[in-house]
Amino acid sequence: MTPHPASNNGSTLLPCETDVLIVGAGITGIYQLYRALEAGFSAQLVEAGEGVGGTWYWNRYPGARFDSESYTYAYLFSKELFEDWEWKEHFAEQPEIERYLNHVVDRFDLRRYLRLGARVTSAVYNDPDRSWTVTAGDGTVVQTQFLIASTGVLSVPHFPDVSGRENFRGEQYHTGLWPATPVDFAGKRVAVIGTGSSGVQLIPAIAGQVASLTVYQRTANWCTPLNNGPITSDQQARLRADFETLRHTLSTSSHGFLHRPHDRATFDDPVEQRRAFYQEMWSSPGFSKLTSNYTDLLFDEAANTEWCDFIADKVRSIVKDPDTAERLIPKDHHFGEHRPPFVTGYYEVYNQPNVSLVDLKQTPIERMTETAVETTEGRRDFDIVVWATGFDFGTGALMRMGIRGRAGLALDQYWAEGPRTFLGLQTAGFPNLFFPGGPHAAAGNNPRYNSDQVDFIMETLRYVRDHGYQAIEVDPAAEERWTNMVDRGATRAPSFGESSYYFGTNIPGKPRKYLLNSGGRPKLFKEIGRVVENDYKAFRLSRSGPSAALRPSRPASTENRRLQAAGGAAQ
Ligand SMILES: Cc1cc2nc3c(=O)[nH]c(=O)nc-3n(C[C@H](O)[C@H](O)[C@H](O)COP(=O)(O)OP(=O)(O)OC[C@H]3O[C@@H](n4cnc5c(N)ncnc54)[C@H](O)[C@@H]3O)c2cc1C
């Protein structure tokens, strides 16, 4: 074992050995650390960034904010914490979220267990003593029994392969790698490339400051209003008073929001009633357009199309130039097929004389030069180019961590054709490795199902400890069952036709596999219940002696072959 460097941003010297090593100080990793310490395990956390917050540390671009209601996204494990943090807005902005996560770290005295500025580059399983040796770029080497990678699904920013990008002499930023010092947009000629959830938050936030703003859009998205606002003192009081009900609802609902599901299908209502309901949805907060909409929205193409037509008419009524409005209306996918972005004043900016829209499907980017972006339409000169081009979703961070399991099995090899998991938190051949908040977790309000996974991991680690085991590894059959469930579910609606980053198709060469859990949170709950009921039969537990020989990467099952032949998780 290599001794640790003696300093870590002023915190205490970390011991060399630990029961639990957590990677990633986002909302999942911080909770995991709290839970591990609470359960009496020794624990440490390493994080690549120089601060805590994960998503909310890296994505500090103007306009970055929650699309989940602040109090539904925040931690629920402590009533006192819930009461002593008053969110200012229903959908808080990035600085407030980052402050909150720092507050949690300090309030629960977690900072002394953190090593910041340490990107893990290698994690190797040692079969004889059933431990992991984890190495980070800053020289940190830690030997741990359990390795918990809470490395996030949206933590590896993606830059498209544009020739000459490195030659551009102006300023370049990625929304997911935003600098700590504010960027000065005043009077600048700015390009924003990408109109996903981040791009459409950023664009209205800077459109009033810049000399000119050119938006390069590859895929138009179904953007609907966030409908944000301050939380009044009456609402604050009600949130406090309702804490237990709120916690119960958020801990049990299928999507992890407070939104009430609707009880009617689209064509149960006559057309005038449907129009009135769509208007109600348009004025409702955030994700409720998905979670409180007609029950068949994601299962009936005609129903979905009618809601899309309503949004399209809204866009036409806001954007004055008909040609621009048409280019902003998606033609290639339905609502909910991509992650729906939520906006404040987004469509309105296209009425400003200094804002223009370039459709990259009609006129693709050919190259960047020292001063310009060149498309097949021509060149435009810029002072600043912002890449709002998303992330290597789901598997990106795990595949880059140099993870090697039993007998040197490399995770990036084992998952070469897509992730294989059980409950979205373990994979066969990698004992004592867990990855809450990774691929195949669930879908919905992210911290809610990530904390379900953390709670289950803690229950599992206690089980291992209390029964005197040293290692736990998912049974390949359980992994196959879960992975097939995810793949099969992804062949059903709402995948009416197009693709999205949910399938990894934004990354060239990435296998087209569904990266969320198509069974959602209910399936996660059900399977966790079954594991506990069946006394962890879905896992292999071992005490000592030589562990099972390396199981070679299995050929695809019949079911997987069928899916692959049909084009992966075919739509
Ligand atoms: C702009 C934006 C807005 C979002 N808004 C919402 C929302 O409103 N609601 C919602 O539910 N979800 C939202 N999400 C999804 C969001 O990612 C999750 O809500 C949540 O932040 C995930 O937390 P996490 O701790 O699992 O991962 P992250 O917050 O991504 O944290 C992972 C951490 O792991 C670190 N890490 C990764 N690899 C390594 C390594 N090799 N070594 C060391 N450290 C490493 C990263 O630096 C990062 O800090 C949003 C995402 C983005 C990008």
Side-chain angles (χ1 to χ4, degrees):
M1 246 178 317
T2 310
H4 282 292
S7 76
N8 176 33
N9 305 328
S11 67
T12 51
L13 184 70
L14 297 175
C16 285
E17 287 180 86
T18 183
D19 296 331
V20 177
L21 182 74
I22 297 148
V23 185
I27 192 156
T28 310
I30 294 169
Y31 182 55
Q32 181 66 69
L33 176 64
Y34 171 82
R35 280 288 188 225
L37 293 167
E38 183 197 46
F41 290 95
S42 60
Q44 300 172 23
L45 186 153
V46 290
E47 160 60 50
E50 296 292 342
V52 303
T55 288
W56 307 106
Y57 168 83
W58 295 105
N59 293 263
R60 47 183 76 242
Y61 57 85
R65 64 170 69 248
F66 281 148
D67 287 333
S68 301
E69 284 83 350
S70 312
Y71 35 88
T72 71
Y73 189 98
Y75 292 117
L76 300 171
F77 64 86
S78 158
K79 186 166 191 262
E80 294 70 35
L81 170 64
F82 187 86
E83 286 181 346
D84 69 21
W85 188 270
E86 282 202 348
W87 292 99
K88 290 194 178 59
E89 293 176 288
H90 287 280
F91 299 93
E93 222 177 336
Q94 177 274 333
E96 190 181 4
I97 309 166
E98 191 186 8
R99 275 201 307 279
Y100 168 76
L101 290 166
N102 276 282
H103 167 75
V104 174
V105 165
D106 292 328
R107 194 185 193 289
F108 295 98
D109 194 20
L110 301 177
R111 205 168 290 274
R112 62 204 171 103
Y113 303 100
L114 308 180
R115 183 170 294 272
L116 302 173
R119 180 173 293 282
V120 172
T121 51
S122 143
V124 178
Y125 184 66
N126 314 302
D127 218 350
D129 61 3
R130 291 159 165 78
S131 70
W132 286 86
T133 303
V134 179
T135 309
D138 70 342
T140 299
V141 181
V142 183
Q143 193 155 354
T144 180
Q145 186 183 2
F146 300 105
L147 174 61
I148 305 185
S150 48
T151 44
V153 281
L154 290 163
S155 56
V156 177
H158 170 63
F159 289 88
D161 189 15
V162 171
S163 135
R165 185 161 59 83
E166 64 291 349
N167 299 335
F168 183 68
R169 283 202 319 239
E171 298 165 53
Q172 288 194 72
Y173 304 98
H174 191 291
T175 50
L177 285 172
W178 205 261
T181 38
V183 176
D184 182 9
F185 285 102
K188 304 273 174 60
R189 299 163 302 169
V190 178
V192 174
I193 301 175
T195 54
S197 299
S198 299
V200 302
Q201 285 186 333
L202 170 84
I203 287 162
I206 61 170
Q209 306 163 34
V210 298
S212 69
L213 176 60
T214 306
V215 177
Y216 289 90
Q217 170 187 275
R218 187 187 60 171
T219 307
N221 275 299
W222 295 109
C223 303
T224 54
L226 181 64
N227 295 317
N228 192 17
I231 304 180
T232 64
S233 51
D234 278 359
Q235 288 169 331
Q236 298 282 14
R238 217 169 321 129
L239 283 170
R240 283 214 176 101
D242 293 347
F243 174 71
E244 291 302 346
T245 316
L246 178 143
R247 173 154 69 181
H248 177 75
T249 308
L250 293 173
S251 306
T252 51
S253 88
S254 61
H255 39 61
F257 289 103
L258 293 177
H259 314 144
R260 287 226 179 90
H262 199 46
D263 57 357
R264 298 175 71 75
T266 304
F267 302 108
D268 291 347
D269 286 342
V271 65
E272 313 77 56
Q273 214 167 311
R274 298 205 295 271
R275 294 292 297 181
F277 180 71
Y278 292 144
Q279 183 56 45
E280 200 184 304
M281 284 291 97
W282 181 260
S283 308
S284 71
F287 273 102
S288 53
K289 283 100 171 168
L290 200 60
T291 52
S292 302
N293 214 315
Y294 281 120
T295 51
D296 55 353
L297 179 78
L298 298 182
F299 305 101
D300 182 311
E301 193 163 353
N304 196 302
T305 300
E306 193 174 86
W307 166 239
C308 290
D309 289 345
F310 176 86
I311 302 173
D313 284 346
K314 285 285 187 194
V315 177
R316 292 185 190 105
S317 74
I318 299 170
V319 179
K320 291 191 181 122
D321 174 42
D323 187 43
T324 304
E326 283 317 307
R327 282 185 281 143
L328 288 166
I329 296 169
K331 306 290 188 301
D332 56 2
H333 68 277
H334 292 73
F335 185 86
E337 202 174 314
H338 291 185
R339 199 274 201 194
F342 300 104
V343 291
T344 305
Y346 172 63
Y347 291 119
E348 288 80 349
V349 301
Y350 293 97
N351 295 331
Q352 289 182 209
N354 65 336
V355 178
S356 58
L357 180 69
V358 176
D359 185 338
L360 293 179
K361 284 210 167 120
Q362 284 171 11
T363 55
I365 295 179
E366 292 199 309
R367 69 184 69 81
M368 280 177 81
T369 67
E370 290 185 352
T371 58
V373 174
E374 287 185 13
T375 66
T376 52
E377 172 209 40
R379 63 171 275 169
R380 297 191 190 204
D381 287 319
F382 296 109
D383 303 306
I384 300 178
V385 172
V386 177
W387 300 89
T389 43
F391 300 86
D392 183 350
F393 178 72
T395 50
L398 290 169
M399 298 283 261
R400 286 168 171 79
M401 233 174 84
I403 297 175
R404 288 188 174 269
R406 273 193 288 110
L409 177 63
L411 185 71
D412 57 356
Q413 292 292 309
Y414 187 54
W415 283 5
E417 291 179 22
R420 309 181 55 79
T421 82
F422 180 56
L423 306 175
L425 49 75
Q426 254 219 340
T427 188
F430 299 81
N432 291 356
L433 168 70
F434 297 87
F435 39 89
H440 293 182
N445 193 10
N446 192 302
R448 301 285 65 90
Y449 57 83
N450 288 358
S451 58
D452 299 335
Q453 291 184 308
V454 170
D455 291 342
F456 174 68
I457 289 170
M458 287 322 304
E459 206 172 325
T460 303
L461 297 198
R462 273 197 216 95
Y463 181 95
V464 172
R465 180 180 61 187
D466 295 350
H467 288 77
Y469 294 114
Q470 275 88 46
I472 179 162
E473 176 186 347
V474 65
D475 188 288
E479 176 191 272
E480 175 112 4
R481 220 176 48 244
W482 185 263
T483 305
N484 286 345
M485 180 280 294
V486 168
D487 288 345
R488 259 198 317 274
T491 63
R492 291 197 304 265
S495 312
F496 298 120
E498 244 282 35
S499 58
S500 78
Y501 73 66
Y502 295 160
F503 285 89
T505 49
N506 60 324
I507 306 297
K510 191 162 170 167
R512 190 170 183 280
K513 285 285 181 184
Y514 196 59
L515 296 166
L516 292 165
N517 161 12
S518 54
R521 204 181 183 200
K523 192 77 187 171
L524 185 67
F525 284 150
K526 194 167 162 198
E527 196 65 34
I528 284 176
R530 196 181 293 168
V531 167
V532 175
E533 203 179 305
N534 292 335
D535 201 28
Y536 284 83
K537 294 255 164 21
F539 292 90
R540 290 173 172 176
L541 292 135
S542 56
R543 285 201 173 83
S544 57
S547 61
L550 174 66
R551 176 178 47 73
S553 198
R554 278 158 295 133
S557 65
T558 314
E559 178 60 14
N560 272 347
R561 278 204 209 100
R562 189 183 65 74
L563 288 171
Q564 283 157 12
Q571 297 173 39

